[in-house]
């Protein structure tokens, strides 16, 4: 049997067949951690030098080798080999090619278990920064749009039925609030990602006099993990990320569903710019909201990744198990999906056209002003339940006669209740209905302007 030449090959007499090796290898995807693996190694070796575990000269030579690898990586000149299984062993082999057997000292007081966890923390910390930036950008696009549409009136819906007229800006600001909560969740996620597992070694710590605080500081982490077993087996920070992205995608998917409805022939509330629409290969007239549909559709794969990892983690005994290698592909895909989706949604919103007239019209030919009449009577002292009953009857009669409430003349309306007077026609206008809903957080113009002002301060970090 041929000698086992793996970095861990010492206790082996046989070799693994190539197809089995491929099954176990992760380099085809964990190469995305290359930069972070080098950063982790640089901090580790600096710590080994400063604590005297390696001589300063040894540490410097290893650092020079790692820096050279970093330059090669940036130049696109690093080539990985599946025979070396994963990013960590590929890097060690490449370092050995650069500086010879001294490379073997880098792995003193370290294991791939704390190494891979460190890489993942560094990677996700960087990506969380991008997600937060893109979310802030999306919300500033929403704020700009809301500012332009405080007085644009649209039907507010419940059960997808016209309910009461609202300001379009109010509708947009509902999403602003959802996305702000998403930001807060990611900021909290950052707290659990900003921890250093380095120095936990395989599972139990090490006999070498390492300085975990130093390597944590060198890597810019908030602090080292407290427990070495937890450090190498914790993937909560990735699960939190996947669940936060799931909630964010759910919000985006709801928004996209509305966008898809709004640009249909039935609504015609908006039209998407050509740069965010596609045509049909058979129907020449088509302009499809594909990008909104794709965001809605991609929500499914993110949920899948969350459930995939939750299932991997379920029942996993402490500490490291190879199952944990399955934490990566779903996370990488989720990062790519969310960063692209955030850009696409922001671009779609900033370039779409809003058909104010069409929105307004659909509040004029419906019964979304029925509550106004009921409130009007209640304000004049009639118990609300009675007012509700009377207006319900009036709506029924209106439907039978093909009319809206405001189409009846005053005498006819007074037949339903004598408290109704000439000013009712003002109350029945959609603008009045919106403008008067000035309760805190309501759709009244003043309230919406207040929301926007507060949100602007919030985005600038002023409150
Ligand atoms: N490629 C491995 C992973 O992603 C690295 C850690 C391997 N550790 C081990 N003890 N086999 O999880």
């Amino acid at each position: 049997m041929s000698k086992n030449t793996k970095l861990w090959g010492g206790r082996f007499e046989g070799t693994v067949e190539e197809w089995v090796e491929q099954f176990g290898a992760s380099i085809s995807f964990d190469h995305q951690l290359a930069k972070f693996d080098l950063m982790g190694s640089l901090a580790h070796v600096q710590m080994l030098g400063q604590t005297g575990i390696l001589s300063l000269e040894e540490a410097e030579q290893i650092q020079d080798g790692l820096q050279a690898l970093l330059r090669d990586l940036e130049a696109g000149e690093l080539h990985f080999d599946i025979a070396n299984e994963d990013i960590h062993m590929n890097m060690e082999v490449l370092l050995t090619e650069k500086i010879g057997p001294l490379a073997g000292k880098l792995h003193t007081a370290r294991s791939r278990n704390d190494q891979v966890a460190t890489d993942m923390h560094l990677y996700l910390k960087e990506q969380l920064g991008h997600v937060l930036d893109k979310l802030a950008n999306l919300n500033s696009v929403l704020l700009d749009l809301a500012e332009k549409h405080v007085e644009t009136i649209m039907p507010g819906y419940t059960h997808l039925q016209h309910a009461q007229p609202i300001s379009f800006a109010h509708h947009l600001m509902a999403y602003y609030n959802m996305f702000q909560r998403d930001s807060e969740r990611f900021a909290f996620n950052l707290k659990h990602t900003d921890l250093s597992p380095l120095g936990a070694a395989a599972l139990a710590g090490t006999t070498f006099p390492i300085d975990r605080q130093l390597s944590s500081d060198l890597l810019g982490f908030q602090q080292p993990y407290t427990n070495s077993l937890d450090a190498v087996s914790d993937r909560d920070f990735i699960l939190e990320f996947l669940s936060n992205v799931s909630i964010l995608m759910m919000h985006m998917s709801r928004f996209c569903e509305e966008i898809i409805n709004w640009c249909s022939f039935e609504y015609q509330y908006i039209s998407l710019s050509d740069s965010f629409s596609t045509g049909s290969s058979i129907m020449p007239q088509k302009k499809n909201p594909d990008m909104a549909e794709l965001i809605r559709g991609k929500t499914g794969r993110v949920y899948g990744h969350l459930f995939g990892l939750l299932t991997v983690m379920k029942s996993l005994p402490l500490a490291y198990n190879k199952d944990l290698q399955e934490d990566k592909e779903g996370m990488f895909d989720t990062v790519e999906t969310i960063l692209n989706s955030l850009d696409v949604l922001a671009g779609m919103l900033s370039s779409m056209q809003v058909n104010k007239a069409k929105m307004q019209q659909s509040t004029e030919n419906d019964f979304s002003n029925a509550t106004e009449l009921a409130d009007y009577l209640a304000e004049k002292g009639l118990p609300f339940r009675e007012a509700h009953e009377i207006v319900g009857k009036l709506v029924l009669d209106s439907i039978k006669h093909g009319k809206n409430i405001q189409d009846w003349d005053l005498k006819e309306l007074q037949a339903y209740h004598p408290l109704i007077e000439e000013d009712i026609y003002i109350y029945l206008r959609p603008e009045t209905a919106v403008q008067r809903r000035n309760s805190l957080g309501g759709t009244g113009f003043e309230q919406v302007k207040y929301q926007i002002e507060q949100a602007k301060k919030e985005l600038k970090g002023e409150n």
Side-chain angles (χ1 to χ4, degrees), residues 26 30 86 88 112-113 116 320 322 324-325 328:
S26 53
D30 69 12
D86 61 20
H88 324 294
R112 273 188 295 155
N113 299 349
V116 70
Y320 181 85
K322 186 79 164 179
L324 290 174
Q325 184 166 288
K328 293 177 191 58

Side-chain angles (χ1 to χ4, degrees), residues 127 130-131 134 334-344:
Q127 299 301 340
H130 297 319
V131 172
K134 286 183 191 291
T334 301
V335 165
E336 191 184 327
T337 305
I338 193 58
L339 294 179
N340 289 334
S341 301
L342 285 166
D343 280 348
V344 169

Side-chain angles (χ1 to χ4, degrees), residues 390-455:
I390 290 165
V391 180
K393 173 90 179 47
L394 170 60
V395 169
L396 188 63
D397 292 342
S398 303
I399 294 168
K400 285 182 184 160
H401 288 85
K403 287 184 170 193
N404 291 309
I405 300 179
Q406 62 276 23
D407 299 335
W408 299 98
D409 65 32
L410 187 59
K411 277 222 165 58
E412 290 167 323
L413 288 178
Q414 283 172 338
Y416 288 87
H417 204 281
L419 280 173
I420 300 177
E421 289 175 72
E422 186 63 42
D423 61 353
I424 188 58
Y425 294 104
I426 297 171
Y427 284 87
L428 289 174
R429 285 191 203 141
E431 313 77 89
T432 320
V434 176
Q435 180 218 318
R436 296 186 68 238
R437 278 193 166 61
N438 256 321
S439 54
L440 182 68
T443 193
F445 302 129
E446 290 315 310
Q447 282 298 324
V448 175
K449 281 183 200 152
Y450 176 73
Q451 279 187 63
I452 295 175
E453 285 320 306
Q454 292 300 106

